[in-house]
Amino acid sequence: MITYQIKNIATATLDVFYPNHCEMCSVDLNINEQYLCLNCLYDLPYINQKVTDQNALQQLFWGRVDVQYTHALFNFEKGNKTQDILHLIKYKSRTKFAEFLGEKLAQSMPSNVSYDWIIPVPLHPKKMRKRGFNQSTVIAKGLQSVLNVRLNESLIKRVKHNPSQTTVTKFDRWQNVRDIFEVNKAEKLKDKHVLLIDDVLTTGATIEACVKQLLKIENCKVSVATLAARV
């Protein structure tokens, strides 16, 4: 009886720190489920299930910057489940959930492409202090655990604190991100293939600004991976 009570107390304690319910629908998870129940896991709007989405994804940067490959796990549309996931990560601090989805993103990517560095798109220090974490970094940690590629947060820095992209018009987004990034220790990126990580790709303005700085480095190649993209 005492042993049974101890087990119940231990389980209750774990549930406080590691809630054993689905992040999307709140149903209790089975022992073989993590963060998402199987119903929610299979019902998400995956990009890799649609050839048309994959083709559109590869064309997002055509005529703008030279990106080797573009990868995303989910299709993003206003009001869909992907928006709920991004909200949970960014505003509810579900960092472990973000790492888990970063692993799923890595598993969806082609295995015949190699990278030298994984670099998350940085936040400005002011925003970093306010939020407490960079959502791109926690996603990148999930990718790193699968791809086994070096992750570095300091090779690119954000030098301007611009307004949130969600608060400006589509046209103003391009002006909003001009010259906001700088590269540190460019010699480490010479002749390297960088995998640039962000949470979501919509207009592509922020990522494009980051890519442009990387492409100034001799023979540096850049690919992009995001948790979600609008295609």
mmCIF file of all heavy atoms in Angstrom, residues 32-68:
data_model
loop_
_atom_site.group_PDB
_atom_site.id
_atom_site.type_symbol
_atom_site.label_atom_id
_atom_site.label_comp_id
_atom_site.label_asym_id
_atom_site.label_seq_id
_atom_site.Cartn_x
_atom_site.Cartn_y
_atom_site.Cartn_z
ATOM 1 N N ASN A 32 4.173 5.238 -25.301
ATOM 2 C CA ASN A 32 5.006 5.333 -26.504
ATOM 3 C C ASN A 32 4.807 6.643 -27.261
ATOM 4 O O ASN A 32 5.277 6.792 -28.385
ATOM 5 C CB ASN A 32 4.735 4.150 -27.436
ATOM 6 C CG ASN A 32 3.295 4.098 -27.903
ATOM 7 O OD1 ASN A 32 2.421 4.615 -27.222
ATOM 8 N ND2 ASN A 32 3.066 3.494 -29.052
ATOM 9 N N GLU A 33 4.107 7.614 -26.650
ATOM 10 C CA GLU A 33 3.864 8.903 -27.287
ATOM 11 C C GLU A 33 4.653 10.000 -26.580
ATOM 12 O O GLU A 33 4.822 9.953 -25.353
ATOM 13 C CB GLU A 33 2.375 9.244 -27.271
ATOM 14 C CG GLU A 33 1.518 8.276 -28.077
ATOM 15 C CD GLU A 33 0.035 8.524 -27.908
ATOM 16 O OE1 GLU A 33 -0.371 9.029 -26.827
ATOM 17 O OE2 GLU A 33 -0.731 8.213 -28.831
ATOM 18 N N GLN A 34 5.111 10.984 -27.355
ATOM 19 C CA GLN A 34 5.831 12.122 -26.805
ATOM 20 C C GLN A 34 5.219 13.418 -27.302
ATOM 21 O O GLN A 34 5.124 13.639 -28.523
ATOM 22 C CB GLN A 34 7.306 12.106 -27.219
ATOM 23 C CG GLN A 34 8.194 11.198 -26.418
ATOM 24 C CD GLN A 34 9.650 11.389 -26.821
ATOM 25 O OE1 GLN A 34 10.051 11.017 -27.916
ATOM 26 N NE2 GLN A 34 10.424 11.988 -25.949
ATOM 27 N N TYR A 35 4.812 14.281 -26.393
ATOM 28 C CA TYR A 35 4.343 15.634 -26.684
ATOM 29 C C TYR A 35 3.059 15.685 -27.514
ATOM 30 O O TYR A 35 2.245 16.579 -27.317
ATOM 31 C CB TYR A 35 5.437 16.456 -27.374
ATOM 32 C CG TYR A 35 6.670 16.588 -26.519
ATOM 33 C CD1 TYR A 35 7.799 15.812 -26.759
ATOM 34 C CD2 TYR A 35 6.695 17.476 -25.437
ATOM 35 C CE1 TYR A 35 8.924 15.918 -25.963
ATOM 36 C CE2 TYR A 35 7.818 17.587 -24.635
ATOM 37 C CZ TYR A 35 8.927 16.805 -24.904
ATOM 38 O OH TYR A 35 10.034 16.910 -24.103
ATOM 39 N N LEU A 36 2.893 14.788 -28.462
ATOM 40 C CA LEU A 36 1.702 14.758 -29.299
ATOM 41 C C LEU A 36 1.116 13.351 -29.305
ATOM 42 O O LEU A 36 1.855 12.368 -29.412
ATOM 43 C CB LEU A 36 2.030 15.169 -30.730
ATOM 44 C CG LEU A 36 2.467 16.618 -30.958
ATOM 45 C CD1 LEU A 36 3.016 16.779 -32.374
ATOM 46 C CD2 LEU A 36 1.324 17.585 -30.708
ATOM 47 N N CYS A 37 -0.216 13.262 -29.217
ATOM 48 C CA CYS A 37 -0.854 11.959 -29.383
ATOM 49 C C CYS A 37 -0.753 11.562 -30.854
ATOM 50 O O CYS A 37 -0.511 12.408 -31.729
ATOM 51 C CB CYS A 37 -2.307 12.015 -28.930
ATOM 52 S SG CYS A 37 -3.388 13.029 -29.972
ATOM 53 N N LEU A 38 -0.925 10.303 -31.142
ATOM 54 C CA LEU A 38 -0.772 9.829 -32.516
ATOM 55 C C LEU A 38 -1.769 10.491 -33.460
ATOM 56 O O LEU A 38 -1.441 10.787 -34.616
ATOM 57 C CB LEU A 38 -0.918 8.310 -32.564
ATOM 58 C CG LEU A 38 0.237 7.507 -31.962
ATOM 59 C CD1 LEU A 38 -0.052 6.016 -32.043
ATOM 60 C CD2 LEU A 38 1.546 7.832 -32.664
ATOM 61 N N ASN A 39 -2.991 10.737 -32.970
ATOM 62 C CA ASN A 39 -3.992 11.380 -33.826
ATOM 63 C C ASN A 39 -3.529 12.765 -34.262
ATOM 64 O O ASN A 39 -3.615 13.120 -35.447
ATOM 65 C CB ASN A 39 -5.327 11.493 -33.086
ATOM 66 C CG ASN A 39 -6.050 10.166 -33.003
ATOM 67 O OD1 ASN A 39 -5.813 9.271 -33.812
ATOM 68 N ND2 ASN A 39 -6.935 10.030 -32.034
ATOM 69 N N CYS A 40 -3.037 13.555 -33.322
ATOM 70 C CA CYS A 40 -2.564 14.896 -33.657
ATOM 71 C C CYS A 40 -1.286 14.841 -34.484
ATOM 72 O O CYS A 40 -1.104 15.625 -35.420
ATOM 73 C CB CYS A 40 -2.331 15.710 -32.382
ATOM 74 S SG CYS A 40 -3.859 16.246 -31.561
ATOM 75 N N LEU A 41 -0.405 13.906 -34.153
ATOM 76 C CA LEU A 41 0.873 13.789 -34.864
ATOM 77 C C LEU A 41 0.656 13.527 -36.345
ATOM 78 O O LEU A 41 1.337 14.102 -37.206
ATOM 79 C CB LEU A 41 1.704 12.666 -34.249
ATOM 80 C CG LEU A 41 3.121 12.475 -34.804
ATOM 81 C CD1 LEU A 41 3.984 13.699 -34.550
ATOM 82 C CD2 LEU A 41 3.765 11.238 -34.201
ATOM 83 N N TYR A 42 -0.320 12.685 -36.673
ATOM 84 C CA TYR A 42 -0.555 12.318 -38.073
ATOM 85 C C TYR A 42 -1.511 13.281 -38.781
ATOM 86 O O TYR A 42 -1.619 13.246 -39.996
ATOM 87 C CB TYR A 42 -1.093 10.893 -38.160
ATOM 88 C CG TYR A 42 -0.051 9.852 -37.854
ATOM 89 C CD1 TYR A 42 -0.147 9.061 -36.715
ATOM 90 C CD2 TYR A 42 1.052 9.673 -38.692
ATOM 91 C CE1 TYR A 42 0.827 8.109 -36.421
ATOM 92 C CE2 TYR A 42 2.027 8.728 -38.395
ATOM 93 C CZ TYR A 42 1.907 7.953 -37.271
ATOM 94 O OH TYR A 42 2.871 7.024 -36.974
ATOM 95 N N ASP A 43 -2.155 14.150 -38.001
ATOM 96 C CA ASP A 43 -3.150 15.046 -38.590
ATOM 97 C C ASP A 43 -2.599 16.445 -38.877
ATOM 98 O O ASP A 43 -3.328 17.319 -39.318
ATOM 99 C CB ASP A 43 -4.356 15.164 -37.645
ATOM 100 C CG ASP A 43 -5.568 15.771 -38.330
ATOM 101 O OD1 ASP A 43 -5.790 15.468 -39.518
ATOM 102 O OD2 ASP A 43 -6.279 16.560 -37.672
ATOM 103 N N LEU A 44 -1.300 16.637 -38.655
ATOM 104 C CA LEU A 44 -0.703 17.961 -38.878
ATOM 105 C C LEU A 44 -0.445 18.185 -40.369
ATOM 106 O O LEU A 44 -0.268 17.237 -41.132
ATOM 107 C CB LEU A 44 0.598 18.072 -38.084
ATOM 108 C CG LEU A 44 0.415 18.095 -36.559
ATOM 109 C CD1 LEU A 44 1.759 17.990 -35.849
ATOM 110 C CD2 LEU A 44 -0.309 19.358 -36.115
ATOM 111 N N PRO A 45 -0.411 19.448 -40.815
ATOM 112 C CA PRO A 45 -0.260 19.750 -42.248
ATOM 113 C C PRO A 45 1.203 19.672 -42.707
ATOM 114 O O PRO A 45 1.864 20.689 -42.914
ATOM 115 C CB PRO A 45 -0.802 21.179 -42.351
ATOM 116 C CG PRO A 45 -0.523 21.783 -41.011
ATOM 117 C CD PRO A 45 -0.677 20.667 -40.019
ATOM 118 N N TYR A 46 1.674 18.447 -42.897
ATOM 119 C CA TYR A 46 3.066 18.253 -43.297
ATOM 120 C C TYR A 46 3.294 18.689 -44.742
ATOM 121 O O TYR A 46 2.530 18.337 -45.632
ATOM 122 C CB TYR A 46 3.450 16.782 -43.158
ATOM 123 C CG TYR A 46 3.474 16.279 -41.737
ATOM 124 C CD1 TYR A 46 2.395 15.573 -41.216
ATOM 125 C CD2 TYR A 46 4.573 16.504 -40.927
ATOM 126 C CE1 TYR A 46 2.401 15.112 -39.915
ATOM 127 C CE2 TYR A 46 4.590 16.043 -39.623
ATOM 128 C CZ TYR A 46 3.508 15.349 -39.114
ATOM 129 O OH TYR A 46 3.525 14.897 -37.827
ATOM 130 N N ILE A 47 4.368 19.415 -44.956
ATOM 131 C CA ILE A 47 4.723 19.808 -46.311
ATOM 132 C C ILE A 47 5.220 18.625 -47.118
ATOM 133 O O ILE A 47 4.922 18.491 -48.295
ATOM 134 C CB ILE A 47 5.782 20.927 -46.284
ATOM 135 C CG1 ILE A 47 5.108 22.256 -45.949
ATOM 136 C CG2 ILE A 47 6.526 21.048 -47.618
ATOM 137 C CD1 ILE A 47 6.036 23.437 -45.873
ATOM 138 N N ASN A 48 5.964 17.730 -46.495
ATOM 139 C CA ASN A 48 6.582 16.641 -47.263
ATOM 140 C C ASN A 48 5.582 15.609 -47.768
ATOM 141 O O ASN A 48 5.970 14.655 -48.418
ATOM 142 C CB ASN A 48 7.682 15.946 -46.445
ATOM 143 C CG ASN A 48 7.158 15.301 -45.177
ATOM 144 O OD1 ASN A 48 5.967 15.325 -44.892
ATOM 145 N ND2 ASN A 48 8.055 14.731 -44.389
ATOM 146 N N GLN A 49 4.307 15.793 -47.477
ATOM 147 C CA GLN A 49 3.297 14.881 -48.000
ATOM 148 C C GLN A 49 2.776 15.339 -49.362
ATOM 149 O O GLN A 49 2.069 14.606 -50.027
ATOM 150 C CB GLN A 49 2.127 14.775 -47.014
ATOM 151 C CG GLN A 49 2.495 14.062 -45.721
ATOM 152 C CD GLN A 49 1.330 13.978 -44.762
ATOM 153 O OE1 GLN A 49 0.311 14.621 -44.948
ATOM 154 N NE2 GLN A 49 1.480 13.182 -43.724
ATOM 155 N N LYS A 50 3.123 16.564 -49.770
ATOM 156 C CA LYS A 50 2.591 17.111 -51.003
ATOM 157 C C LYS A 50 3.735 17.524 -51.929
ATOM 158 O O LYS A 50 4.555 18.369 -51.580
ATOM 159 C CB LYS A 50 1.713 18.321 -50.711
ATOM 160 C CG LYS A 50 0.491 18.029 -49.849
ATOM 161 C CD LYS A 50 -0.312 19.303 -49.614
ATOM 162 C CE LYS A 50 -1.547 19.044 -48.767
ATOM 163 N NZ LYS A 50 -2.294 20.297 -48.523
ATOM 164 N N VAL A 51 3.800 16.953 -53.110
ATOM 165 C CA VAL A 51 4.846 17.291 -54.070
ATOM 166 C C VAL A 51 4.754 18.753 -54.471
ATOM 167 O O VAL A 51 5.768 19.440 -54.623
ATOM 168 C CB VAL A 51 4.747 16.390 -55.319
ATOM 169 C CG1 VAL A 51 5.751 16.828 -56.375
ATOM 170 C CG2 VAL A 51 4.986 14.931 -54.936
ATOM 171 N N THR A 52 3.545 19.268 -54.624
ATOM 172 C CA THR A 52 3.375 20.671 -55.029
ATOM 173 C C THR A 52 3.940 21.611 -53.970
ATOM 174 O O THR A 52 4.551 22.637 -54.292
ATOM 175 C CB THR A 52 1.893 20.992 -55.265
ATOM 176 O OG1 THR A 52 1.129 20.602 -54.099
ATOM 177 C CG2 THR A 52 1.361 20.257 -56.475
ATOM 178 N N ASP A 53 3.741 21.279 -52.693
ATOM 179 C CA ASP A 53 4.295 22.097 -51.615
ATOM 180 C C ASP A 53 5.818 22.049 -51.628
ATOM 181 O O ASP A 53 6.486 23.054 -51.411
ATOM 182 C CB ASP A 53 3.776 21.617 -50.260
ATOM 183 C CG ASP A 53 2.348 22.072 -49.989
ATOM 184 O OD1 ASP A 53 1.819 22.841 -50.811
ATOM 185 O OD2 ASP A 53 1.780 21.657 -48.975
ATOM 186 N N GLN A 54 6.377 20.868 -51.865
ATOM 187 C CA GLN A 54 7.831 20.733 -51.903
ATOM 188 C C GLN A 54 8.416 21.590 -53.022
ATOM 189 O O GLN A 54 9.429 22.256 -52.848
ATOM 190 C CB GLN A 54 8.227 19.263 -52.108
ATOM 191 C CG GLN A 54 8.124 18.405 -50.869
ATOM 192 C CD GLN A 54 9.216 18.717 -49.849
ATOM 193 O OE1 GLN A 54 10.052 19.578 -50.056
ATOM 194 N NE2 GLN A 54 9.193 18.013 -48.741
ATOM 195 N N ASN A 55 7.786 21.564 -54.184
ATOM 196 C CA ASN A 55 8.270 22.365 -55.311
ATOM 197 C C ASN A 55 8.183 23.859 -54.989
ATOM 198 O O ASN A 55 9.112 24.623 -55.283
ATOM 199 C CB ASN A 55 7.472 22.052 -56.573
ATOM 200 C CG ASN A 55 7.730 20.651 -57.095
ATOM 201 O OD1 ASN A 55 8.753 20.045 -56.790
ATOM 202 N ND2 ASN A 55 6.807 20.118 -57.871
ATOM 203 N N ALA A 56 7.083 24.272 -54.379
ATOM 204 C CA ALA A 56 6.915 25.676 -54.012
ATOM 205 C C ALA A 56 7.945 26.098 -52.975
ATOM 206 O O ALA A 56 8.472 27.218 -53.022
ATOM 207 C CB ALA A 56 5.502 25.908 -53.480
ATOM 208 N N LEU A 57 8.255 25.204 -52.068
ATOM 209 C CA LEU A 57 9.237 25.483 -51.024
ATOM 210 C C LEU A 57 10.614 25.739 -51.625
ATOM 211 O O LEU A 57 11.311 26.681 -51.237
ATOM 212 C CB LEU A 57 9.289 24.307 -50.050
ATOM 213 C CG LEU A 57 10.065 24.481 -48.749
ATOM 214 C CD1 LEU A 57 9.489 25.621 -47.929
ATOM 215 C CD2 LEU A 57 10.044 23.188 -47.955
ATOM 216 N N GLN A 58 10.997 24.937 -52.590
ATOM 217 C CA GLN A 58 12.309 25.084 -53.216
ATOM 218 C C GLN A 58 12.413 26.390 -54.014
ATOM 219 O O GLN A 58 13.511 26.895 -54.244
ATOM 220 C CB GLN A 58 12.589 23.894 -54.142
ATOM 221 C CG GLN A 58 12.797 22.572 -53.412
ATOM 222 C CD GLN A 58 13.958 22.646 -52.429
ATOM 223 O OE1 GLN A 58 13.783 22.538 -51.229
ATOM 224 N NE2 GLN A 58 15.157 22.852 -52.943
ATOM 225 N N GLN A 59 11.275 26.943 -54.405
ATOM 226 C CA GLN A 59 11.284 28.145 -55.237
ATOM 227 C C GLN A 59 11.159 29.452 -54.440
ATOM 228 O O GLN A 59 11.214 30.532 -55.024
ATOM 229 C CB GLN A 59 10.137 28.079 -56.250
ATOM 230 C CG GLN A 59 10.261 26.931 -57.236
ATOM 231 C CD GLN A 59 9.021 26.745 -58.084
ATOM 232 O OE1 GLN A 59 8.216 27.660 -58.214
ATOM 233 N NE2 GLN A 59 8.850 25.566 -58.665
ATOM 234 N N LEU A 60 11.046 29.366 -53.128
ATOM 235 C CA LEU A 60 10.783 30.556 -52.323
ATOM 236 C C LEU A 60 11.857 31.633 -52.446
ATOM 237 O O LEU A 60 11.564 32.823 -52.357
ATOM 238 C CB LEU A 60 10.623 30.163 -50.845
ATOM 239 C CG LEU A 60 9.291 29.504 -50.473
ATOM 240 C CD1 LEU A 60 9.310 29.019 -49.035
ATOM 241 C CD2 LEU A 60 8.134 30.470 -50.672
ATOM 242 N N PHE A 61 13.114 31.222 -52.653
ATOM 243 C CA PHE A 61 14.200 32.202 -52.717
ATOM 244 C C PHE A 61 14.730 32.412 -54.132
ATOM 245 O O PHE A 61 15.705 33.135 -54.322
ATOM 246 C CB PHE A 61 15.348 31.776 -51.792
ATOM 247 C CG PHE A 61 14.974 31.795 -50.335
ATOM 248 C CD1 PHE A 61 14.717 30.604 -49.658
ATOM 249 C CD2 PHE A 61 14.869 32.987 -49.648
ATOM 250 C CE1 PHE A 61 14.381 30.612 -48.322
ATOM 251 C CE2 PHE A 61 14.519 33.012 -48.306
ATOM 252 C CZ PHE A 61 14.269 31.816 -47.644
ATOM 253 N N TRP A 62 14.109 31.795 -55.112
ATOM 254 C CA TRP A 62 14.575 31.944 -56.489
ATOM 255 C C TRP A 62 14.556 33.415 -56.900
ATOM 256 O O TRP A 62 13.581 34.127 -56.667
ATOM 257 C CB TRP A 62 13.691 31.141 -57.435
ATOM 258 C CG TRP A 62 13.962 29.665 -57.419
ATOM 259 C CD1 TRP A 62 14.749 28.977 -56.539
ATOM 260 C CD2 TRP A 62 13.426 28.682 -58.309
ATOM 261 N NE1 TRP A 62 14.726 27.633 -56.814
ATOM 262 C CE2 TRP A 62 13.936 27.436 -57.905
ATOM 263 C CE3 TRP A 62 12.565 28.748 -59.403
ATOM 264 C CZ2 TRP A 62 13.619 26.243 -58.568
ATOM 265 C CZ3 TRP A 62 12.242 27.559 -60.065
ATOM 266 C CH2 TRP A 62 12.770 26.335 -59.656
ATOM 267 N N GLY A 63 15.649 33.865 -57.525
ATOM 268 C CA GLY A 63 15.744 35.236 -57.985
ATOM 269 C C GLY A 63 16.019 36.241 -56.882
ATOM 270 O O GLY A 63 16.081 37.442 -57.146
ATOM 271 N N ARG A 64 16.214 35.764 -55.651
ATOM 272 C CA ARG A 64 16.452 36.667 -54.518
ATOM 273 C C ARG A 64 17.834 36.417 -53.910
ATOM 274 O O ARG A 64 18.676 37.305 -53.922
ATOM 275 C CB ARG A 64 15.353 36.476 -53.469
ATOM 276 C CG ARG A 64 13.987 36.954 -53.954
ATOM 277 C CD ARG A 64 12.835 36.362 -53.167
ATOM 278 N NE ARG A 64 12.947 36.576 -51.739
ATOM 279 C CZ ARG A 64 12.044 36.126 -50.870
ATOM 280 N NH1 ARG A 64 10.986 35.450 -51.297
ATOM 281 N NH2 ARG A 64 12.190 36.367 -49.589
ATOM 282 N N VAL A 65 18.049 35.243 -53.380
ATOM 283 C CA VAL A 65 19.361 34.850 -52.869
ATOM 284 C C VAL A 65 19.599 33.385 -53.239
ATOM 285 O O VAL A 65 18.650 32.624 -53.449
ATOM 286 C CB VAL A 65 19.484 35.022 -51.330
ATOM 287 C CG1 VAL A 65 19.617 36.478 -50.946
ATOM 288 C CG2 VAL A 65 18.308 34.368 -50.613
ATOM 289 N N ASP A 66 20.856 33.010 -53.287
ATOM 290 C CA ASP A 66 21.231 31.661 -53.707
ATOM 291 C C ASP A 66 21.212 30.715 -52.506
ATOM 292 O O ASP A 66 22.186 30.622 -51.753
ATOM 293 C CB ASP A 66 22.628 31.690 -54.335
ATOM 294 C CG ASP A 66 23.019 30.334 -54.916
ATOM 295 O OD1 ASP A 66 22.131 29.466 -55.051
ATOM 296 O OD2 ASP A 66 24.218 30.138 -55.222
ATOM 297 N N VAL A 67 20.100 30.039 -52.327
ATOM 298 C CA VAL A 67 19.950 29.051 -51.250
ATOM 299 C C VAL A 67 20.018 27.658 -51.861
ATOM 300 O O VAL A 67 19.311 27.357 -52.826
ATOM 301 C CB VAL A 67 18.609 29.259 -50.510
ATOM 302 C CG1 VAL A 67 18.334 28.115 -49.544
ATOM 303 C CG2 VAL A 67 18.613 30.592 -49.770
ATOM 304 N N GLN A 68 20.872 26.814 -51.300
ATOM 305 C CA GLN A 68 21.070 25.471 -51.848
ATOM 306 C C GLN A 68 19.814 24.610 -51.718
ATOM 307 O O GLN A 68 19.331 24.038 -52.685
ATOM 308 C CB GLN A 68 22.242 24.777 -51.120
ATOM 309 C CG GLN A 68 23.562 25.516 -51.207
ATOM 310 C CD GLN A 68 24.099 25.570 -52.621
ATOM 311 O OE1 GLN A 68 24.203 24.546 -53.298
ATOM 312 N NE2 GLN A 68 24.445 26.766 -53.074
#
